[in-house]
Amino acid sequence: DGFPAARLFSQGYSYTYDDVIFLPHYIDFPTDAVSLSTKLSRRVALATPCVASPMDTVTESSMAAAMASLGAIGIIHSNNNVSHQASLIRLAKSHKIPFNHDLIFKSPSDSILSGEEFSSAPCIFVTESGTQNSKLLGTVEKSNWEGLDSKETRVSEYMTKSSVSIPASYSFEDVAGYLAKNELQYVPLVRDNGEEGEEIVNLVTSDDVERIQGFPKFGLPSLGADGEFLVGASIGTRESDKERLEHLVKAGVNVVVLDSSQGNSIYQIEMIKYAKKTYPELDLIGGNVVTAYQAQNLIQAGVDGLRVGMGSGSICTTQEVCAVGRGQAAAVYKVASIAAQSGVPVIADGGISNSGHIVKALTLGASTVMMGSFLAGSNEAPGTYVYQDGRRVKKYRGMGSLEAMTKGSDARYLGDKAKLKIAQGVVGAVADKGSVLKFIPYTMQAVKQGFQDLGASSLQSAHDLLRSGVLRLEVRTGAAQVEGGVHGLVSYEKKSF
Ligand code: XMP
């Protein structure tokens, strides 16, 4: 009944996730017996098979810390200067609590001229030199400032003197206990940088505590040998990226992704050889690739992981602009089949818009899924919410959009030396999704149910069942796809948890 994957994917069609459907198999274990633990790359293990994409509207320190706290990982983007990228890595790694506020600092002689200087955080911090890494002297809350006669008054004259802080190494339970015991509304978290002094790295409010206590309890966090969160970062393949790589390694990056839209190039292969020789201990992920031929070249050059996908992302226009790419289901199956022979884990990158797509990607051979739009619009994504047609949205843009490329991401498309810039992506907005700390646990529970229906209690068992031809698939006709979605209702509420 149905087709084995090898047969289905050798008929000349570029199938994507929605084109194919698995036939259910046999269940002999409960949902909670399913383990999704996996490998991102040869030496980086994860409890949760999700990766936040290196895009400037998806992954900075808040997202990376939140993903690591869930047993997953975030790859910090490189559409910035290297010192900024390195500081985002340090910040994510120094967290024990997976959320972040925009912190604002003033020196005692500064003034606050406009209410807009207050971010969403409950106060502005006053430090000796007005910077993050200087001694905390006090705080100014918006309500204190609003009552002032003259806004030009120096903050030293009306700030609340307080140097109360707690170490950034405190666990969530420690911080919650501290706030409750001292009846505080918020407390700054401070990291001791030895001779360089102290640095205020985060702020936790009692609202944060209440919010996080309401989230589902979820598996093991992703921690490195140093006990800090696992954090990845991307680089390009330019000569200057060698220096970037050096800074990222110094900042403690745990895995590096070579970010190219077509990874099978002389530029990437040279960079792989250089990085493997210079940092043999560092896992390096190459890509993007969609064919066995591309994958073989990068595996031969020495990559520890492969990122798969071309033109399948929600903001991508590569297939339309350049006429190259592949349906994502076919790409994942073909690349994973080759990569498995060398023990190289595969990341299915792009095109994920529901838990069913994750089940399909992981069963077709991927070890993790990388997501952009699925995570964009969350509390942890960079950027602020705005209202558009009555809906709360956050910006989400392709790294090949003209807007992103003006900041340097054109190197990903090897277009940085070209005279005329051509966009391979768009700028858009996605709806407010709340916190990844809430929706990733629910999504993973749905993925486990999918695995249970397939009779696979782990990723390895799903891969084995697929390759041995025990798991069968079929192509869905257009009508079958319509039938597989909600249909025939006048209206309904789309809520999964
Ligand atoms: P999703 O579907 O998760 O896709 O939003 C995210 C992935 O899309 C890739 N990406 C792009 N591809 N033009 C492209 O052709 C772009 O501007 C662009 N920006 C991101 C990238 O692989 C990401 O992980």
Side-chain angles (χ1 to χ4, degrees), residues 46-85:
L46 300 175
T48 305
C50 297
V51 188
S53 174
M55 300 174 72
D56 58 9
T57 48
V58 179
T59 314
E60 293 195 337
S61 48
S62 286
M63 180 64 78
M67 292 298 280
S69 81
L70 293 165
I73 195 167
I75 311 295
I76 294 189
H77 72 90
S78 48
N79 209 14
N80 45 22
N81 64 43
V82 60
S83 58
H84 186 212
Q85 192 184 15

Side-chain angles (χ1 to χ4, degrees), residues 109-426:
S109 58
D110 287 337
S111 359
I112 301 169
L113 296 176
S114 148
E116 284 179 11
E117 291 190 48
F118 289 86
S119 66
S120 56
C123 69
I124 285 179
F125 289 112
V126 185
T127 62
E128 232 164 44
S129 64
T131 58
Q132 186 160 8
N133 51 357
S134 115
K135 191 169 183 298
L136 177 65
L137 302 175
T139 56
V140 178
E141 289 179 18
K142 200 170 181 185
S143 56
N144 304 130
W145 172 84
E146 278 167 341
L148 290 178
D149 290 338
S150 160
K151 301 295 185 224
E152 284 174 18
T153 316
R154 292 159 167 241
V155 296
S156 56
E157 290 177 35
Y158 58 90
M159 70 182 194
T160 308
K161 285 195 186 130
S162 161
S163 53
V164 172
S165 66
I166 53 177
S169 58
Y170 269 34
S171 68
F172 172 72
E173 287 72 26
D174 293 340
V175 180
Y178 183 89
L179 283 172
K181 185 166 152 238
N182 296 287
E183 295 183 359
L184 293 172
Q185 289 304 304
Y186 57 88
V187 64
L189 302 184
V190 169
R191 185 175 55 183
D192 188 354
N193 287 335
E195 280 175 20
E196 288 170 33
E198 288 190 339
E199 181 183 22
I200 303 171
V201 295
N202 205 353
L203 164 81
V204 182
T205 70
S206 51
D207 283 351
D208 293 330
V209 168
E210 206 173 305
R211 204 159 45 89
I212 208 167
Q213 278 169 342
F215 294 148
K217 290 258 174 296
F218 200 64
L220 294 173
S222 310
L223 301 178
D226 51 9
E228 297 194 328
F229 280 154
L230 284 185
V231 176
S234 69
I235 61 169
T237 52
R238 286 178 287 201
E239 199 48 35
S240 60
D241 286 296
K242 293 182 177 167
E243 197 188 325
R244 187 178 277 269
L245 181 58
E246 187 187 339
H247 280 85
L248 303 186
V249 170
K250 278 193 192 135
V253 74
N254 298 98
V255 55
V256 164
V257 171
L258 291 177
D259 196 17
S260 308
S261 63
Q262 206 288 49
N264 186 27
S265 70
I266 188 168
Y267 314 108
Q268 181 157 145
I269 287 173
E270 280 174 2
M271 185 58 106
I272 294 166
K273 289 186 179 155
Y274 165 83
K276 288 310 297 175
K277 195 163 139 235
T278 319
Y279 308 101
E281 299 300 314
L282 181 70
D283 267 21
L284 196 67
I285 294 170
N288 281 25
V289 294
V290 291
T291 69
Y293 163 66
Q294 289 178 298
Q296 259 158 345
N297 270 352
L298 299 193
I299 291 171
Q300 237 166 36
V303 289
D304 304 294
L306 278 172
R307 194 173 160 204
V308 176
M310 190 174 196
S312 54
S314 60
I315 33 48
C316 302
T317 53
T318 296
Q319 294 191 8
E320 284 166 21
V321 174
C322 300
V324 282
R326 196 170 207 177
Q328 188 64 348
V332 169
Y333 175 73
K334 294 287 184 184
V335 173
S337 302
I338 285 295
Q341 294 169 13
S342 316
V344 173
V346 158
I347 305 171
D349 173 22
I352 299 290
S353 49
N354 55 45
S355 53
H357 291 160
I358 301 179
V359 175
K360 287 175 183 173
L362 296 177
T363 307
L364 288 172
S367 295
T368 52
V369 289
M370 179 179 277
M371 300 176 289
S373 71
F374 199 77
L375 304 171
S378 64
N379 299 344
E380 290 80 5
T384 45
Y385 288 108
V386 294
Y387 282 88
Q388 202 171 296
D389 301 328
R391 295 178 76 187
R392 218 166 103 95
V393 300
K394 244 187 210 188
K395 183 190 272 188
Y396 176 52
R397 68 182 182 194
M399 298 309 289
S401 63
L402 287 177
E403 196 184 276
M405 286 200 297
T406 56
K407 291 183 71 190
S409 65
D410 45 352
R412 179 170 200 269
Y413 301 88
L414 300 179
D416 52 334
K417 295 196 183 75
K419 287 197 190 80
L420 304 177
K421 301 266 175 249
I422 301 294
Q424 292 188 36
V426 299

